[in-house]
Amino acid sequence: ITASLDFDTIFFRLYERVNQLADATVFGVGLYSAEKQQIEYRLAVEEGKRYAPYTRDTTDKNQFPVWCVEHRKPVFINDVAAEYSRYLDSYEPGRRLLEDGSVSRAPQSLIYLPLTTKDRVLGVITVQSFKTHAYTEYHLNLLQNLAAYTSIALDNANAYRQLNDQEREIRQR
């Protein structure tokens, strides 16, 4: 995961690794932008089918990924209908369009993990299952380790991109 400086490569390697470790029927990686007040999902997959790229507005606090980013803590749920109230006031499963034109399904179990480095939140990772009680503390710990490596990779990729931008500016002068 940390061997690449390309966001998409990082995300696909993460997706491959997560699928080896847990039920990732739904998998997503969102990049957080405090300035834009949004989480941009560059990769989100359900049963092998990609979602059309989308964003989540972080001013809407009644969303699991927004709670995760704001609290910088995992969301860990094994029965969404019974447990959502630990994180949200109400829960309405969102429906999103998949690349083949079908519509996403509502998960029964889910984990959201913040991608953090030093004092910043870079984004969020999610794995979701259509089964209840799909995840254990073991899965949570494994995914937290992967989230730490992903955070390092994203931070490195950001630094590399900033250096390239500065070099380009200097050359244009």
Side-chain angles (χ1 to χ4, degrees), residues 38-41 53-57 63 96:
Q38 68 182 21
I39 300 170
E40 175 193 4
Y41 282 85
Y54 66 96
T55 59
R56 288 188 180 263
D57 179 355
Q63 303 177 75
R96 300 226 179 258

Side-chain angles (χ1 to χ4, degrees), residues 18-37:
V18 167
N19 267 307
Q20 295 169 353
L21 301 172
D23 177 357
T25 306
V26 178
F27 172 82
V29 181
L31 295 177
Y32 173 63
S33 171
E35 303 80 47
K36 295 179 185 175
Q37 293 187 309

Side-chain angles (χ1 to χ4, degrees), residues 33-92:
S33 171
E35 303 80 47
K36 295 179 185 175
Q37 293 187 309
Q38 68 182 21
I39 300 170
E40 175 193 4
Y41 282 85
R42 303 248 313 251
L43 176 65
V45 181
E46 180 177 306
E47 296 183 306
K49 296 179 266 186
R50 286 187 76 157
Y51 287 72
Y54 66 96
T55 59
R56 288 188 180 263
D57 179 355
T58 59
T59 61
D60 177 0
K61 306 299 182 200
N62 205 49
Q63 303 177 75
F64 294 121
V66 175
W67 189 97
C68 178
V69 164
E70 291 203 341
H71 292 87
R72 297 178 183 213
K73 293 181 182 175
V75 172
F76 181 70
I77 295 179
N78 267 312
D79 184 345
V80 173
E83 300 173 42
Y84 76 84
S85 61
R86 293 190 331 220
Y87 306 95
L88 307 177
D89 293 332
S90 63
Y91 174 69
E92 250 336 287

